[in-house]
Amino acid sequence: MLTPKNHPADAYRRVEVDARVEGADGIGLTRIYLEHALDELDRASRAHHRGDRIVMSDALTRAANGIAGLGLGVSDDNPMREPLQHLYGSAETAVRASITQFRDDVITRVRYDLRDILALF
């Protein structure tokens, strides 16, 4: 049985992200992390609705890790540093909580917040 850790689609996703990360600047990396987190939230939602807890958990973990990376990557000289770090921290916490108790409304709200930030780029 293929698990999320050794599924071919997962390998392609990792290669795609790695290829995009290589050579990206700070804004480019932020965009990549936002897109990756959104993709993983969408994947988690689809997995939840079809009852696949393994894929759902894996996707939520990846999304939460990406969101954590966004929080760590906010530049010290960014005037929006504190609000962004608060938003990313809250989003990460909400996504991690959804691993054990999935809530569509919470994931939808996190998705909207991340899409709003992505739209600024």
Side-chain angles (χ1 to χ4, degrees):
M1 179 171 138
L2 293 175
T3 65
K5 300 273 187 249
N6 64 8
H7 196 281
D10 236 21
Y12 287 115
R13 262 193 298 280
R14 281 192 305 272
V15 168
E16 179 186 2
V17 170
D18 289 348
R20 290 182 64 204
V21 165
E22 193 173 316
D25 61 6
I27 291 173
L29 286 173
T30 300
R31 184 175 191 77
I32 291 166
Y33 271 91
L34 285 165
E35 290 170 352
H36 178 69
L38 286 164
D39 288 346
E40 291 299 330
L41 290 173
D42 290 342
R43 190 167 75 102
S45 184
R46 288 190 307 271
H48 168 73
H49 289 291
R50 69 175 182 269
D52 190 339
R53 291 205 41 85
I54 293 171
V55 171
M56 181 199 76
S57 175
D58 181 65
L60 289 172
T61 299
R62 289 172 186 263
N65 290 343
I67 294 167
L70 286 163
L72 293 172
V74 178
S75 173
D76 289 341
D77 61 346
N78 186 328
M80 296 295 293
R81 183 173 195 258
E82 286 185 38
L84 282 171
Q85 286 183 324
H86 176 75
L87 184 142
Y88 292 140
S90 297
E92 178 193 0
T93 299
V95 170
R96 289 199 192 280
S98 289
I99 294 170
T100 55
Q101 175 100 24
F102 189 88
R103 292 192 41 206
D104 263 325
D105 60 325
V106 171
I107 297 303
T108 297
R109 189 177 67 241
V110 170
R111 247 195 241 120
Y112 284 138
D113 289 344
L114 296 181
R115 281 191 183 126
D116 285 347
I117 294 168
L118 183 58
L120 297 174
F121 293 96

